[in-house]
């Protein structure tokens, strides 16, 4: 599936304004999508239909709340797509584990490192940390922190 | 001489002979274990582009003695939840029957402790004790890994006994006797291995399986079950299992030599050499053991169900067919 | 008057723990298995025994200071991780790398790939019970380690790449040693194929064992030899060419069924392809500088960036969020063994315990890169 197919499927779910093309040579991805927490499942379904696989789920902590980045790629052509979901502290997201099995472990990792809960996740327990850990290490108010910024400082919006 | 006379008067000639023989067998088994451990390590090393033991003694010969001292000096730990009596019994039960089997092996023309007319049957009867002892050891250890190992060992040993006995039956038919010295005597012109090479091959494969050597060493597969049925054993108890395995290899190779390769008779054509029968016997036995070690370090191991399938679907039909064919041949010849 | 009967025993499963200390789970992996006799009903890999917090460390270290950490994540393919990280930052900052440095990086990365595959080969066959090929492959691997030691200073965990190039130049001795090594490894293929690939017992242990087909592999995000053995010719070096791979000529070996034997053959052929790449790179090695002039503390512009390379185990990606200072704001390493390990939860149920070893070995997991 080419990038155009993916764009077409995604345009049914998110507004065209939220789909920002990126420079592959510099940024490593072709398209960036800003989604809201409720749109995540639909976006994942669209990516599945476009024959993409889930490459990674990362999260970053900002002063205005953590942000989850879903990364989809396809093995037939370069089509790395970043889906950015800005959350507020304490907000939870629907798990896409029923769509992509790879998400199960990525979501567990994001949960234990950032404290973001995933609804409908079949088995949300800690993956890398000990089971009885009660802290979320990668949040910017834990441990040695060099900088704590807002999304505006980094992305300019 | 006077001491010998006293012993004979006290026990009676037969019993005295057996006692002396058993002492000699004990000595043989210990020296054999010493030598075999060294041989295995050296052969394995050279196959693997290494050298093996070389520090202790010339060519590392004394390495085994030093390892034995280390094992003897270790604390005998008995874990808390084991069945104490059975736990202690298992290594002993594994080792003792092997000693008894040596009573009927013809080391040379006159070096035979007791020439029983069912000598072969005695050997196979006592080799089944091994299975029982392994099961007892695995069960008594109160450990899932040990139990898995012991169960597999029992299944494997019991399964491979059948083709073993069937091939030996062919040899017995051919030489018309179960007496070990008679079997050797019937090979005075041609060794049995030239008459029935398939039987020799089947016997050797079953022998590898009976002694739990690779590629049939699932019960003690290190990488799968840590150490199988002897996971919980340490120190001298572990050494006894080891000793039993090497003694078993010696027995099995000695029986193969007697049944197929002419026992203590010289290589065909080299009868003029002034070499005593004992040397020929040991040369052939250790050659077979060398082949067993060679096979161990070359092949990976079979998965358990593949092992059992191999026995039930290939070995047993082959052995049965062999038996029927040779029964027919014997009938035709006579 | 009713009699009381015992509840009939319907479930005879028991739990077996292939614990963190086990001769076959390479690294500290714990497999929590639910067994029914010899068959696996459920498999749950438990990881985290080697979690060192590399990503948190990245946030309080300079970009230059984090470079050694990348090697420790996957210690068997340390140079490839180095390369990926360094190239990610270079792309962000717009640093141009001189061609000689690019070729040197490619040669060392491919040597590293071969050494990782050789180690996998030895340990895989050793797990199956054949102890000898392990020593042969380590003998070959020693040569690679010596070559890389001479040029980078370390045998296993390298910090050889720098922003803008590499730290030290290669000399003629390196080139002759590499040529000798290529010849020597090529002469070994016969030994390996005769001893292992054509061995009936090995084929029985690896054929039709642990089939991971295309659909399962993509669902779990597996990349690398697993995906290629399932028939998908996806290799980051061809799909998203980086460094000088677009100028070099090599093939992507693929399999058909996705069983352990296919994965084994794919990796052996990959080693041969790597030798081919190294030969071409050595031939074309240009003269010139080995490092571009780069500011003392590199300061990438604000924004987020992603860069992917092909490691011995699959696609490795570095996702870096920068706030304009010389410290990364967030660094996420996307590691291939994550998906590769997770696929066990789908592949293991229904197989025998003895096959676990074969499947685990054929997937080639390095647990520290999963744990980071």
């Amino acid at each position: 599936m080419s990038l155009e197919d993916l764009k077409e499927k995604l345009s049914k779910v998110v507004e065209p304004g939220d789909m920002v093309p990126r420079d592959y040579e510099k940024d490593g991805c072709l398209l960036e999508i800003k989604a809201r927490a409720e749109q995540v499942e639909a976006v994942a379904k669209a990516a599945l239909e476009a024959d993409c696989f889930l490459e990674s789920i990362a999260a970053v902590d900002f002063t205005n709340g953590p942000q989850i980045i879903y990364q989809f790629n396809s093995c037939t052509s370069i089509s790395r797509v970043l889906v950015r979901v800005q959350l507020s502290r304490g907000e939870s997201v629907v798990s896409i584990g029923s769509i992509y099995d790879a998400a199960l472990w990525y979501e567990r990792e994001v949960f234990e490192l950032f404290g973001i809960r995933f609804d409908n996740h079949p088995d949300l327990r800690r993956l890398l940390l000990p089971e009885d850990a009660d802290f979320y290490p990668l949040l910017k108010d834990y441990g040695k922190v060099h900088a704590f910024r807002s999304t505006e400082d980094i992305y300019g919006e | 001489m006077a001491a010998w006379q006293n012993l004979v008067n006290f026990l009676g000639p037969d019993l005295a002979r057996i006692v002396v023989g058993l002492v000699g067998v004990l000595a043989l088994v210990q020296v054999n274990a010493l030598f075999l451990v060294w041989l295995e390590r050296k052969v394995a090393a050279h196959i693997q582009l290494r050298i093996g033991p070389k520090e202790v003694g010339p060519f590392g010969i004394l390495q085994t003695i030093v390892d034995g001292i280390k094992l003897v000096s270790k604390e005998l730990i008995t874990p808390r939840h084991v069945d104490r009596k059975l736990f202690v019994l298992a290594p002993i039960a594994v080792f003792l029957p092997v000693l008894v089997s040596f009573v009927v092996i013809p080391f040379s023309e006159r070096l035979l402790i007791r020439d029983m007319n069912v000598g072969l049957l005695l050997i196979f009867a006592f080799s089944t004790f091994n299975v029982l002892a392994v099961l007892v050891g695995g069960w008594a250890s109160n450990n899932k890994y040990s139990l898995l190992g012991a169960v597999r060992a029992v299944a494997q040993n019991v399964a491979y006994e059948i083709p073993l006995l069937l091939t030996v039956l062919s040899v017995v038919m051919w030489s018309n006797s179960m007496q070990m010295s008679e079997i050797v005597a019937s090979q005075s012109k041609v060794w049995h291995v030239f008459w029935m090479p398939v039987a020799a091959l089947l016997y050797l494969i079953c022998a590898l399986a009976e002694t739990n050597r690779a590629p049939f060493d699932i019960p003690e597969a290190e990488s799968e079950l840590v150490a199988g049925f002897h996971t919980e054993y340490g120190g001298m108890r572990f050494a006894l299992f080891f000793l039993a395995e090497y003694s078993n290899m010696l027995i099995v190779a000695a029986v193969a030599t007697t049944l197929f390769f002419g026992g203590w008779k010289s290589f065909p054509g080299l009868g003029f050499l002034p070499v005593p029968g004992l040397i020929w016997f040991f040369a052939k036995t250790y050659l077979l053991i060398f082949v067993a070690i060679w096979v161990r370090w070359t092949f990976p191991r079979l998965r358990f169900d593949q092992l059992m399938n191999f026995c039930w679907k290939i070995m047993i039909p082959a052995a049965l067919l062999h038996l029927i064919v040779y029964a027919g041949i014997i009938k035709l010849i006579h | 008057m009713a009699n009381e009967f015992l509840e009939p025993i319907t479930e005879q499963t028991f739990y077996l723990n292939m614990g963190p200390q086990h001769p076959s789970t390479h690294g500290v992996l714990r497999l929590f298995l639910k067994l029914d006799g010899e068959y696996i009903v459920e498999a749950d890999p438990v990881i985290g025994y080697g979690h060192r917090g590399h990503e948190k460390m990245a946030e309080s270290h300079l970009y230059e200071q984090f470079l050694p950490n990348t090697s420790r994540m996957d210690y068997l393919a340390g140079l490839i991780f180095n390369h990926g990280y360094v190239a990610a930052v270079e792309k962000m900052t717009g640093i141009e790398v001189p061609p000689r440095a690019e070729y040197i990086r490619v040669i060392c990365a491919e040597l590293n790939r071969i050494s990782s595959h050789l180690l996998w080969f030895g340990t895989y066959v050793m797990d199956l019970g054949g102890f000898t090929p392990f020593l042969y492959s380590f003998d070959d691997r020693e040569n690679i380690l010596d070559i890389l030691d001479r040029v980078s200073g370390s045998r296993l965990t390298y910090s050889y790449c720098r922003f803008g190039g590499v730290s030290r130049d290669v000399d003629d001795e390196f080139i002759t040693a590499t040529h000798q090594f290529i010849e020597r490894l090529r002469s070994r293929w016969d030994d390996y194929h005769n001893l292992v690939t054509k061995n009936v017992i090995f084929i029985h242990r690896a054929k039709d064992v642990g089939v991971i087909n295309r659909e399962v592999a993509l669902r779990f995000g597996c990349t690398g030899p697993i995906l290629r053995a399932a028939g998908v010719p996806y290799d980051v070096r061809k799909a998203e060419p980086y460094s000088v791979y677009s100028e070099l000529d090599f093939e992507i070996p693929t399999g058909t069924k996705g069983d352990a034997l296919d994965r084994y053959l794919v990796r052996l052929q990959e080693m041969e392809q790597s030798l081919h790449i190294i030969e071409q790179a050595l031939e074309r090695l240009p003269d010139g500088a080995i490092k571009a002039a780069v500011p003392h503390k590199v300061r990438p512009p604000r924004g987020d960036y992603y860069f992917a390379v092909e490691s011995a185990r699959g696609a490795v990606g570095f996702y870096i969020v920068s706030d304009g200072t010389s410290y990364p704001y967030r660094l996420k390493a996307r590691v291939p063994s994550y998906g590769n390990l997770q696929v066990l939860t789908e592949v293991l149920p229904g197989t025998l315990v003895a096959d676990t070893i074969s499947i685990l070995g054929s997937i080639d997991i390095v647990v520290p890169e999963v744990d980071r």
Side-chain angles (χ1 to χ4, degrees), chain A residues 14-15 20 32 34 36 49 53-54 68 76 78 83 85-86 106 109-110 115 124 138 150 156:
Chain A
V14 295
E15 281 102 66
V20 178
E32 180 190 312
K34 293 192 209 344
R36 293 187 304 278
E49 280 168 33
F53 65 90
L54 180 69
I68 307 185
T76 39
I78 309 173
V83 178
V85 178
Q86 177 71 44
Y106 283 119
E109 190 192 339
V110 167
L124 198 67
L138 252 61
S150 71

Side-chain angles (χ1 to χ4, degrees), chain B:
Chain B
M1 279 325 281
W4 173 245
Q5 280 300 109
N6 281 336
L7 194 64
V8 171
N9 292 337
F10 181 61
L11 291 172
D14 275 343
L15 205 51
R17 190 189 163 121
I18 288 182
V19 162
V20 170
L22 279 177
V23 167
V25 159
L26 258 176
L28 167 70
V29 160
Q30 309 302 342
V31 171
N32 166 65
L34 233 69
F35 176 64
L36 262 190
V37 171
W38 172 83
L39 184 70
E40 166 130 39
R41 287 172 75 160
K42 272 298 198 187
V43 169
H46 281 282
I47 291 179
Q48 294 172 349
L49 303 178
R50 303 181 285 126
I51 305 180
K54 66 191 250 304
E55 294 290 320
V56 190
F59 297 110
I61 286 192
L62 301 178
Q63 178 74 41
T64 324
I65 300 181
V66 171
D67 281 338
I69 296 175
K70 178 202 81 169
L71 277 172
V72 164
S73 66
K74 282 209 192 273
E75 183 186 349
L76 287 181
I77 300 179
T78 317
R80 194 184 304 174
H81 295 291
V82 301
D83 191 326
R84 222 156 256 271
K85 293 199 187 72
L86 292 179
F87 191 77
V88 171
L89 178 65
I92 304 173
V94 152
F95 182 60
L96 280 184
V98 181
L99 288 182
V100 177
S101 311
F102 276 102
V103 165
V104 289
I105 303 269
F107 292 102
S108 99
E109 225 167 324
R110 283 169 305 159
L111 275 180
L112 186 60
I113 300 177
R114 184 117 178 123
D115 198 7
M116 301 173 81
N117 56 353
V118 283
L120 207 52
L121 194 60
L122 183 94
I123 295 180
F124 290 117
F126 274 99
S127 76
T128 52
F129 271 95
N130 184 34
V131 176
L132 189 65
V134 161
L135 185 61
V136 162
W139 172 261
S141 297
N142 198 20
N143 178 343
K144 272 175 210 158
Y145 285 128
S146 302
L147 191 60
L148 261 175
V151 161
R152 285 173 168 179
V154 167
Q156 179 183 319
N157 274 4
V158 165
Y160 277 92
E161 287 220 356
I162 302 175
L164 186 76
L165 292 173
L166 286 173
T167 49
V168 165
L169 208 56
S170 311
V171 177
V172 164
M173 273 195 324
W174 194 267
S175 40
N176 234 351
S177 150
M178 274 200 184
Q179 200 165 351
M180 296 292 261
S181 54
E182 294 257 327
I183 296 179
V184 173
S186 71
Q187 297 182 62
S188 48
K189 293 213 193 63
V190 187
W191 289 355
H192 285 323
V193 71
F194 298 114
W195 284 122
M196 36 179 74
V198 179
L201 185 64
L202 288 176
Y203 179 84
L204 287 172
I205 297 176
C206 291
L208 280 180
E210 284 296 312
T211 50
N212 290 342
R213 296 279 298 180
F216 304 106
D217 62 349
I218 293 281
E220 24 183 83
E222 279 165 10
S223 38
E224 296 182 27
L225 296 174
V226 188
F229 63 85
H230 48 74
T231 310
E232 294 282 348
Y233 287 93
M236 201 55 209
R237 297 208 182 105
F238 171 71
L240 269 177
F241 273 110
F242 230 53
L243 199 64
E245 174 173 330
Y246 283 112
S247 314
N248 241 332
M249 267 195 355
L250 183 66
I251 277 274
V252 142
V255 169
T257 314
T258 313
L259 289 179
F260 295 103
F261 291 95
W264 45 261
K265 294 201 184 290
S266 57
F267 279 93
L270 294 178
F272 58 90
L273 288 173
V275 177
L278 188 66
I279 305 288
W280 285 122
F281 179 82
F282 276 111
K284 290 179 220 175
T285 308
Y286 279 103
L287 207 61
L288 287 175
I289 294 181
F290 171 74
V291 170
I293 297 178
W294 190 3
V295 165
R296 176 185 184 181
W297 295 103
T298 310
F299 293 110
R301 78 173 67 88
L302 279 173
R303 203 177 64 204
F304 191 62
D305 63 322
Q306 290 164 346
L307 202 152
M308 299 304 285
N309 278 340
F310 180 64
C311 176
W312 294 109
K313 291 185 190 167
I314 298 180
M315 295 290 285
I316 293 185
L320 274 175
L321 197 65
H322 183 270
L323 187 65
I324 294 171
V325 164
Y326 273 85
I329 293 179
I330 293 174
K331 188 81 181 166
L332 286 175
I333 292 182
H334 291 306

